[in-house]
Amino acid sequence: MCVGLPARVVKIKEGMALIDASGAKREVSAELIDELEPGDYVMVHAGIAISKITNDDQSETDKIMEEL
């Protein structure tokens, strides 16, 4: 099973995005997503932002992860 983490994009530079995942910040590849802006939410897997998600998706994912 693969697990992706929701994260908020803080900054984008040269195909990389600085993300904030529940307070943990790291750089991930943003090459797969067009039109990514700071403040957007993404699903991250294996160091790659794989899709944009909504704030509601992020909140729901956080809730499920807390229950686990």
Side-chain angles (χ1 to χ4, degrees):
M1 178 170 102
C2 297
V3 176
L5 293 173
R8 185 178 55 84
V9 176
V10 176
K11 180 171 71 171
I12 301 168
K13 184 177 179 182
E14 299 176 6
M16 298 296 286
L18 177 65
I19 57 151
D20 181 343
S22 299
K25 293 184 179 169
R26 61 184 279 199
E27 273 196 338
V28 300
S29 173
E31 294 284 332
L32 295 179
I33 303 175
D34 293 331
E35 300 181 24
L36 192 60
E37 300 287 331
D40 287 345
Y41 285 87
V42 293
M43 187 63 66
V44 177
H45 175 69
I48 302 170
I50 58 174
S51 66
K52 268 180 149 176
I53 60 173
T54 67
N55 189 18
D56 290 339
D57 293 334
Q58 187 268 337
S59 296
E60 182 178 352
T61 303
D62 281 348
K63 182 180 175 184
I64 291 168
M65 294 300 283
E66 286 176 17
E67 289 176 2
L68 292 176

